[in-house]
Amino acid sequence: MTVLPIRIHGDPVLHEQALPVTAFDERLRTLVADMFETMDAAPGVGLAGPQVGVGQRLFVYSYRDDEGSPWRGVVINPTLYMTPTPAGAPDDDEDSEGCLSFPGERFPLRRSENVIVTGVDLDGQPVRIEADGWRARILQHEYDHLDGTIYIDRLDSAFDRVLLRIVKKRGWNVPGNSWNPMDERLEG
């Protein structure tokens, strides 16, 4: 398995609609294994194809709940159903979210509390996940990547100046920027 470079905000693949997966072959199995390896090395709780430069509709996820129970898998060609997002401002602590493609930063973002994701696994078998709380947040976040949306795109406009300063200071928002979780440094 290989740890892949993670694309950073500004790379075009992160802002484009991902295409459906059509070939369920050994290359797909290798990609998914590499995505798990990359997500674990980062460390993260989810990773979508576009984040590793692959414009296909798939993501992996891994999360341990408060009791330590593992929740790990892959969803290919997903569809997302969700309850309406609650009204009101996000809580700075409870709704704090980060992204491996905007590394080192966290911002509050309101998300739906309940979701259902359907799709298929590596063998083309149906997958259906009903989730709430943090698990629902993870699924929404990864699904957004497949539609070319990074969580910062959903933030309140009050964060615009802060985001622009971060992007300018770090030299992001240009094609080709990535970072490698194995050496924990930004490349570009």
Side-chain angles (χ1 to χ4, degrees), residues 93-135:
D93 295 321
E94 293 295 316
D95 296 322
S96 179
E97 191 167 318
C99 181
L100 296 175
S101 290
F102 204 84
E105 303 296 333
R106 296 188 69 79
F107 293 95
L109 177 64
R110 227 0 123 100
R111 294 273 193 183
S112 175
E113 286 292 319
N114 300 286
V115 301
I116 299 171
V117 171
T118 61
V120 297
D121 65 15
L122 276 172
D123 298 316
Q125 296 301 307
V127 172
R128 178 185 167 94
I129 303 168
E130 294 185 38
D132 60 8
W134 272 100
R135 290 179 178 180

Side-chain angles (χ1 to χ4, degrees), residues 20-139:
V21 173
T22 57
F24 289 77
D25 55 13
E26 196 55 40
R27 286 178 45 200
L28 179 63
R29 290 185 180 286
T30 300
L31 172 62
V32 169
D34 290 348
M35 288 175 65
F36 275 116
E37 188 82 8
T38 303
M39 176 184 60
D40 293 343
V45 295
L47 188 67
Q51 292 182 275
V52 293
V54 177
Q56 291 189 301
R57 298 189 72 77
L58 75 151
F59 62 80
V60 296
Y61 59 89
S62 182
Y63 178 73
R64 288 196 177 270
D65 63 20
D66 293 337
E67 290 79 42
S69 298
W71 180 66
R72 188 171 174 93
V74 60
V75 183
I76 301 167
N77 298 330
T79 301
L80 173 72
Y81 305 94
M82 60 186 177
T83 58
T85 303
D91 180 274
D92 287 347
D93 295 321
E94 293 295 316
D95 296 322
S96 179
E97 191 167 318
C99 181
L100 296 175
S101 290
F102 204 84
E105 303 296 333
R106 296 188 69 79
F107 293 95
L109 177 64
R110 227 0 123 100
R111 294 273 193 183
S112 175
E113 286 292 319
N114 300 286
V115 301
I116 299 171
V117 171
T118 61
V120 297
D121 65 15
L122 276 172
D123 298 316
Q125 296 301 307
V127 172
R128 178 185 167 94
I129 303 168
E130 294 185 38
D132 60 8
W134 272 100
R135 290 179 178 180
R137 177 178 296 275
I138 293 165
L139 295 173

Side-chain angles (χ1 to χ4, degrees), residues 55 153 168:
D153 298 332
K168 184 177 179 180

